[in-house]
Amino acid sequence: MLIISTAGHIDHGKTSLIKALNNFSGDNTPEEIKRGITIDLSFSNLEHISFVDVPGHESLVKTMIGGVQSEYAMLVVDINEGLMPQTLEHIFILKIMGVKNIILVLNKIDLWQNLDEKKEEILKKLDFTPIKTFLVSATKNIGINELKEYLLSLPVPNYEDFALKINVDRIFNVKGVGLVATGILKSGKLECKNYISDENKNIQIKSIEVQHKSVDSVNAPARVAFVFKGELKVGNIIYSKGYLRSANEIYTTLEGDLKHDENVLFCAANKQIEAKYLNYEKYAKFVLKKPIALSFNEPFVILKNARAIAGGVVLNPLTEPLKKAKMIELLRALEQKDFKSAFALLNQNHSTGFGLFCAPQRFNLSTEQALEYAKIVGEIVDIKGACVYTKKALEEVKTQIKNLFIKNPYSLQSAKSLEKSLGTDEFLCDLALKDLDFLELNNGLYHKKGEKIEKLLENNEEKIYKELNSLTPKAPYNIYDELNLDRKSGDDIIKRLCSKNKVKRLAHNYFISVIALDEFVKNIQGLLKLGVGVQELKNEYNLSRKYAISLLEYLDTLKGVKNIDNKRYLMQN
């Protein structure tokens, strides 16, 4: 599908031109009909082309920006009036938004005589060269066929086949159908399944329509309508889960003059968000009042007092913990698309690993393309996990593991358990364990060389049992962490203690030794004669409510104890 936007000053004939091309009248809301101007975005089709007709009034520039999300645009100019203020502002916005293919349509030629002279005069005033110029009269149908043939011959651009991304521009209710949304499919493939919005809401796509035809799926680029279930608003972005992340800090190129610390309106992806501009030499940092999910090289426009005064493209769409000098170095590499240098810098500044599943958003690269750069600059690359590490990161993990075994020489560890306890990726933990020559692997667990695994299990069993020999023992996972013990090994030890009837499970994560439990029953006999409830146990033994309830439920299993109004009594024979 080919998407073509209009642009131009109010009353220069954008909507009339669309009507001449496909017989569609866009100004159809009551206010548009009353005022005779386009107020909202209007959408229509011509064979494989989707038109987005934008308003030309100066007060509606935010709406116009939301409609310019295509490779092509028709700049409509009334040949009698020439270039007007909104024409120039729209040209600026088209350039900022990256629309390189601009077709100049000089309209209302039936009202002017010296056409060639006026055409040259207008062309000389432009700061760009249109890919084609047409002389037409939308109302008299002059030159329309030639323009139509040209538009239908334009090549459809190739989009990268990344994860799905849709900018939602309209939502309405259709009786008997449900909620319908429309938008431009920027990347990926839309199917009838579940996606997520930039507000982290689940969105179920129930049916899809393209150019008034029902389809099972559609590839970018395309204008789409879809019936959905979920919470969705105009301006929301729908994407494949895990593809996009939102951020309040955006780093960009900048065209236009802004003052450091100036408050502006940041417009991108059908959103308008208040922001503060910070100067980063030739680049910009925008601190947004609300987070937004943008991608590398995505265009934006800056408004001040409702006028377009600046813009650029996004270089770094995510918050990155870099000092200003390093950030400027990164932005320079990204602007030049020198991903080798960018990856090298990021790799050195991510001590626990630099993930690449975000590559489509961060660099407009597939994960596979990003991994090729990673192999060049990365010292350690996890292909399956799409992550890059430095040798320094590996040495730090090895040091942490050494310290664990110094603290508990009887420790039993696996890469998976270390991932949880150290907060480091399993891949790096596995490399570190394999690289430590004082360890050996036995039944999937690493332990100190020369130690019998049976002896290690026995030693750790004694330590765990000692920790559970209390009325208020710690939760098992906390005990494992203190002993630097693999969680599976710890769970197996507790199961073994329970099978030996040395430990009882009273509730989730509440395990207690039978000796401690018997001591509790022996000591509470006196209180049971008077009646024991939750509050009495909490006061007497300084217990949490959870532990008190679990102990009362255990008392219910004993002979001679009866529950009366949530208090336990020892019944006299």
Side-chain angles (χ1 to χ4, degrees):
M1 178 184 290
L2 192 67
I3 302 170
I4 302 177
S5 304
T6 64
H9 194 75
I10 185 172
D11 282 339
H12 276 205
K14 296 183 294 299
T15 302
S16 298
L17 179 65
I18 297 297
K19 185 178 181 180
L21 287 167
N22 64 6
N23 202 33
F24 177 82
S25 299
D27 300 336
N28 51 18
T29 68
E31 189 176 358
E32 286 175 326
I33 293 170
K34 179 181 177 182
R35 295 174 62 182
I37 62 171
T38 300
I39 295 173
D40 204 350
L41 299 177
S42 177
F43 309 98
S44 60
N45 307 309
L46 174 65
E47 295 187 19
H48 67 280
I49 297 174
S50 280
F51 292 117
V52 183
D53 188 20
V54 306
H57 196 278
E58 64 176 355
S59 66
L60 301 170
V61 67
K62 285 189 287 188
T63 306
M64 183 269 176
I65 293 169
V68 181
Q69 298 183 43
S70 57
E71 298 282 337
Y72 294 91
M74 289 190 294
L75 178 66
V76 183
V77 177
D78 181 341
I79 197 168
N80 305 277
E81 292 191 349
L83 303 181
M84 298 293 282
Q86 291 315 116
T87 313
L88 299 175
E89 186 171 37
H90 282 203
I91 291 171
F92 175 73
I93 292 169
L94 289 175
K95 290 168 65 180
I96 289 294
M97 296 298 285
V99 182
K100 298 180 177 63
N101 303 307
I102 303 176
I103 303 151
L104 178 62
V105 181
L106 300 177
N107 192 23
K108 304 185 182 181
I109 63 170
D110 55 306
L111 303 177
W112 191 266
Q113 291 186 343
N114 300 321
L115 295 178
D116 290 338
E117 183 181 328
K118 187 65 174 180
K119 171 185 168 182
E120 290 305 313
E121 178 189 327
I122 291 172
L123 285 170
K124 283 180 182 178
K125 291 180 180 179
L126 296 175
D127 60 355
F128 72 96
T129 303
I131 60 171
K132 192 80 172 175
T133 301
F134 287 89
L135 298 169
V136 307
S137 170
T139 57
K140 301 295 183 180
N141 203 34
I142 301 171
I144 297 301
N145 288 335
E146 292 84 351
L147 174 60
K148 185 186 295 186
E149 287 177 12
Y150 175 76
L151 296 178
L152 290 171
S153 71
L154 290 171
V156 177
N158 291 319
Y159 277 41
E160 294 288 352
D161 189 21
F162 295 144
L164 174 130
K165 182 181 180 184
I166 301 175
N167 295 335
V168 177
D169 49 40
R170 287 193 305 170
I171 294 177
F172 47 92
N173 204 322
V174 176
K175 190 175 181 180
V177 175
L179 284 171
V180 177
T182 68
I184 292 179
L185 178 60
K186 302 287 287 183
S187 64
K189 179 180 181 180
L190 179 64
E191 300 175 276
C192 293
K193 63 180 188 180
N194 291 333
Y195 297 96
I196 197 164
S197 77
D198 56 335
E199 295 184 358
N200 208 32
K201 305 290 186 182
N202 288 317
I203 308 298
Q204 180 189 1
I205 307 298
K206 300 171 74 176
S207 63
I208 306 166
E209 193 173 281
V210 177
Q211 293 188 326
H212 306 296
K213 295 178 182 178
S214 293
V215 296
D216 295 325
S217 64
V218 57
N219 292 307
R223 261 211 67 78
V224 295
F226 51 90
V227 179
F228 71 94
K229 184 178 180 182
E231 293 182 38
L232 203 56
K233 297 181 294 190
V234 171
N236 276 160
I237 301 168
I238 301 175
Y239 53 90
S240 301
K241 194 169 185 179
Y243 168 53
L244 288 180
R245 286 186 287 159
S246 298
N248 289 82
E249 295 179 354
I250 307 292
Y251 298 85
T252 73
T253 63
L254 186 66
E255 182 178 336
D257 294 323
L258 297 177
K259 295 179 182 177
H260 181 71
D261 222 27
E262 184 175 9
N263 292 319
V264 295
L265 193 65
F266 186 95
C267 302
N270 284 7
K271 286 181 179 285
Q272 298 90 38
I273 302 175
E274 292 179 38
K276 184 180 289 291
Y277 159 72
L278 300 174
N279 179 274
Y280 265 55
E281 293 185 359
K282 63 177 284 194
Y283 304 105
K285 175 182 179 180
F286 290 97
V287 181
L288 310 177
K289 283 199 172 182
K290 294 180 181 178
I292 188 171
L294 297 176
S295 301
F296 173 75
N297 216 35
E298 190 162 353
F300 68 93
V301 174
I302 296 299
L303 299 186
K304 184 80 174 181
N305 299 322
R307 301 271 57 80
I309 60 170
V313 296
V314 174
L315 294 177
N316 185 40
L318 299 176
T319 302
E320 188 65 52
L322 292 175
K323 291 185 178 179
K324 188 172 182 178
K326 282 288 183 186
M327 177 57 77
I328 290 171
E329 185 182 341
L330 173 64
L331 296 177
R332 191 177 298 118
L334 291 172
E335 183 184 25
Q336 296 167 1
K337 295 187 178 177
D338 178 7
F339 297 119
K340 180 180 175 182
S341 297
F343 278 37
L345 191 153
L346 289 167
N347 187 38
Q348 292 299 320
N349 283 275
H350 283 253
S351 59
T352 58
F354 170 47
L356 297 176
F357 283 122
C358 62
Q361 179 184 12
R362 293 203 65 172
F363 312 111
N364 201 30
L365 298 173
S366 68
T367 303
E368 292 72 25
Q369 289 171 324
L371 280 168
E372 291 304 311
Y373 284 105
K375 290 174 187 176
I376 298 171
V377 304
E379 295 166 349
I380 302 167
V381 181
D382 176 10
I383 301 295
K384 186 178 178 181
C387 203
V388 193
Y389 307 90
T390 60
K391 289 180 180 177
K392 181 182 176 183
L394 177 62
E395 291 304 315
E396 287 175 354
V397 174
K398 286 164 67 174
T399 299
Q400 289 177 295
I401 295 172
K402 287 176 185 177
N403 291 334
L404 290 180
F405 280 92
I406 290 171
K407 188 175 179 182
N408 179 15
Y410 304 104
S411 184
L412 292 164
Q413 292 293 349
S414 67
K416 196 161 192 68
S417 65
L418 287 171
E419 181 181 36
K420 294 176 182 176
S421 60
L422 299 183
T424 303
D425 291 343
E426 183 179 350
F427 173 83
L428 204 59
C429 292
D430 185 58
L431 283 184
L433 286 167
K434 290 174 179 175
D435 210 25
L436 290 168
D437 56 12
F438 72 91
L439 297 178
E440 63 178 281
L441 181 63
N442 199 325
N443 294 330
L445 296 172
Y446 285 88
H447 58 82
K448 290 186 75 172
K449 276 184 179 177
E451 297 286 352
K452 297 283 187 184
I453 195 162
E454 294 80 9
K455 179 82 180 296
L456 295 172
L457 290 170
E458 184 181 323
N459 183 277
N460 284 308
E461 184 175 315
E462 289 175 7
K463 290 185 176 183
I464 289 176
Y465 179 71
K466 185 178 178 181
E467 290 287 344
L468 298 178
N469 197 22
S470 160
L471 202 60
T472 55
K474 297 168 185 170
Y477 287 173
N478 292 333
I479 297 173
Y480 307 160
D481 289 344
E482 288 183 7
L483 295 176
N484 300 313
L485 188 64
D486 170 77
R487 289 191 174 185
K488 184 180 183 304
S489 300
D491 287 345
D492 288 343
I493 288 171
I494 286 185
K495 288 176 185 176
R496 197 157 50 249
L497 287 169
C498 289
S499 68
K500 292 178 181 178
N501 203 31
K502 294 178 71 174
V503 166
K504 279 191 178 294
R505 178 182 180 179
L506 299 187
H508 177 67
N509 280 342
Y510 186 15
F511 293 85
I512 183 171
S513 74
V514 171
I515 290 176
L517 204 51
D518 289 345
E519 188 70 18
F520 162 72
V521 173
K522 178 182 174 183
N523 292 335
I524 204 170
Q525 295 294 309
L527 280 176
L528 279 172
K529 293 175 182 178
L530 302 173
V532 178
V534 171
Q535 197 58 49
E536 286 78 13
L537 276 186
K538 287 176 67 176
N539 294 340
E540 184 69 20
Y541 294 98
N542 193 28
L543 297 173
S544 68
R545 179 176 177 81
K546 174 188 170 182
Y547 279 13
I549 291 172
S550 297
L551 287 167
L552 287 173
E553 289 174 348
Y554 174 71
L555 290 175
D556 289 338
T557 68
L558 301 181
K559 187 177 180 181
V561 176
K562 191 170 183 180
N563 184 348
I564 303 174
D565 295 331
N566 288 326
K567 283 197 175 186
R568 276 63 175 180
Y569 293 87
L570 182 62
M571 307 308 292
Q572 304 296 325
N573 292 329

